[in-house]
């Protein structure tokens, strides 16, 4: 299977999301611009950023430097927590920074609305279902082609989908997914609802002990691939898109090497059999808990 050309059709909006993308969290300036340019020249057609990453301008520079036509590129960005009351303005600002007329996917970054004057406080008299109502409205502007959510658990999704103001089901939920955080209940729920899954932090953190797990190392040795490549292929074969983040051109190219090999059923079972549990992204910095232990 040619994984580098494989896409997923979303249940609303326009276009199909490429299953392999470049994540840009914690990358800034010329470093991220060059990574985006390299990725697009290598063949990536999915670039993921966010207003909170404070790198949208540099990402846009990398897109233009690549020479790849805009219509061939899927661009995802995200709404900041303190901008939940001003969705349309936030979209305009992201587009201005990116230098684009539209984004292919716009996500509510967290199910947490914070006070614009004090980001450590939850926004009084506001709920993320109201934010979603505003996001539904921007679909009519042509500036956003698909809308979705990020870091939403079962509790949040149930609440969102049961809200009277929700008329459009999120096209995507971007969540942390890797063998240390497989979230089986949440994954099953999303698949049942037809909500596409994008895996962020899909390689674990930098120097994660995940890469030393005996089962993973054994599969990597057997397939002649790196542990990072095995983790990405595991996610792809599980049925979701992956957005490994890297600003290193060599790693960007390595992560693109998904064609010409597959994980066997016993390899997939070995990965699922990893028992350790830990997250890369926590919620201690938020004024409300987001990870409620309801995804296992």
């Amino acid at each position: 299977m040619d994984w580098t050309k494989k896409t997923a059709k979303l249940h609303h909006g326009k276009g199909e999301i490429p299953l392999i993308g470049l994540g840009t969290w914690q990358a800034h300036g010329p470093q991220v611009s060059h990574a985006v340019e390299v990725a697009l020249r290598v063949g990536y057609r999915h670039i993921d950023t966010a207003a909170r990453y404070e790198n949208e301008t540099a990402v846009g520079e990398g897109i233009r430097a690549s020479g790849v036509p805009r219509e061939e590129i899927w661009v995802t960005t995200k709404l900041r927590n303190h901008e939940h009351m001003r969705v349309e303005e936030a979209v305009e600002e992201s587009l201005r920074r990116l230098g684009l007329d539209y984004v292919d996917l716009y996500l509510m970054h967290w199910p947490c609305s914070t006070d614009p004057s004090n980001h450590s406080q939850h926004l009084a008299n506001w709920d993320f279902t109201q934010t979603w109502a505003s996001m539904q409205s921007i679909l009519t502007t042509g500036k956003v082609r698909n809308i979705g959510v990020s870091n939403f658990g079962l509790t949040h999704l149930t609440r969102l989908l049961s809200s009277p103001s929700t008329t459009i089901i999120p096209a995507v939920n971007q969540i942390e997914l890797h063998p240390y955080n497989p979230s089986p209940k949440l994954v099953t729920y999303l698949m049942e609802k037809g909500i596409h899954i994008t895996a962020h932090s899909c390689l674990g953190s930098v120097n994660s002990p995940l890469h030393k797990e005996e089962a993973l190392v054994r599969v990597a040795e057997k397939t002649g691939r790196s542990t990072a490549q095995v983790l990405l292929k595991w996610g792809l074969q599980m049925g979701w898109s992956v957005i490994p983040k890297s600003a290193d051109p060599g790693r960007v190219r390595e992560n693109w090497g998904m064609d010409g090999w597959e994980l066997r059923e016993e390899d997939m079972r070995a990965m699922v059999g990893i028992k350790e549990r830990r997250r890369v992204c926590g919620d201690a910095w938020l004024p409300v808990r987001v990870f409620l232990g309801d995804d296992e």
Side-chain angles (χ1 to χ4, degrees), residues 97-272:
R97 288 188 290 265
L98 286 161
L100 301 176
D101 296 325
Y102 68 91
V103 290
D104 299 273
L105 178 61
Y106 196 60
L107 304 178
M108 192 189 320
H109 205 156
W110 293 87
C112 175
S113 308
T114 57
D115 190 326
S117 61
N118 184 351
H119 297 178
S120 65
Q121 295 294 320
H122 192 268
L123 185 60
N125 302 315
W126 191 264
D127 183 88
F128 62 74
T129 59
Q130 295 167 270
T131 310
W132 185 251
S134 297
M135 290 181 65
Q136 291 174 152
S137 298
I138 61 170
L139 274 178
T140 63
T141 66
K143 295 172 182 177
V144 170
R145 296 196 166 183
N146 302 271
I147 55 173
V149 296
S150 179
N151 300 304
F152 270 54
L154 282 170
T155 300
H156 308 111
L157 287 163
T158 302
R159 191 159 128 217
L160 181 64
L161 297 189
S162 64
S163 171
S165 63
T166 297
T167 58
I168 298 172
I169 296 175
V172 172
N173 188 15
Q174 186 180 123
I175 54 176
E176 179 176 341
L177 279 176
H178 47 74
Y180 276 178
N181 192 60
S183 304
K185 286 183 181 177
L186 178 56
V187 165
T188 298
Y189 177 90
L190 292 168
M191 289 183 166
E192 288 174 350
K193 296 294 183 183
I195 300 173
H196 177 74
I197 301 166
T198 295
H200 74 69
S201 307
C202 45
L203 301 180
S205 59
V206 176
N207 299 319
S208 170
L210 173 59
H211 290 266
K212 296 179 181 177
E213 279 285 340
E214 183 179 348
L216 173 57
V217 171
R218 192 163 51 244
V219 172
E221 289 174 348
K222 185 171 79 169
T223 57
R225 302 287 169 171
S226 69
T227 52
Q229 287 175 316
V230 171
L231 288 168
L232 295 177
K233 182 55 68 76
W234 177 75
L236 291 169
Q237 290 184 211
M238 288 290 283
W240 47 74
S241 52
V242 294
I243 48 168
K245 60 183 178 69
S246 181
D248 179 86
R251 292 281 176 83
V252 170
R253 292 185 181 94
E254 177 186 297
N255 291 342
W256 185 243
M258 293 293 107
D259 286 342
W261 63 288
E262 305 289 327
L263 295 179
R264 295 175 181 245
E265 187 176 337
E266 61 266 27
D267 300 329
M268 296 293 288
R269 283 200 304 268
M271 300 286 284
V272 172

Side-chain angles (χ1 to χ4, degrees), residues 23-29 31-33 35 53-55 58-59 245-247:
T24 62
W25 180 42
Q26 295 181 324
H28 300 92
Q31 183 186 45
V32 71
S33 296
Y53 300 166
E54 298 184 342
N55 63 10
V59 167
K245 60 183 178 69
S246 181

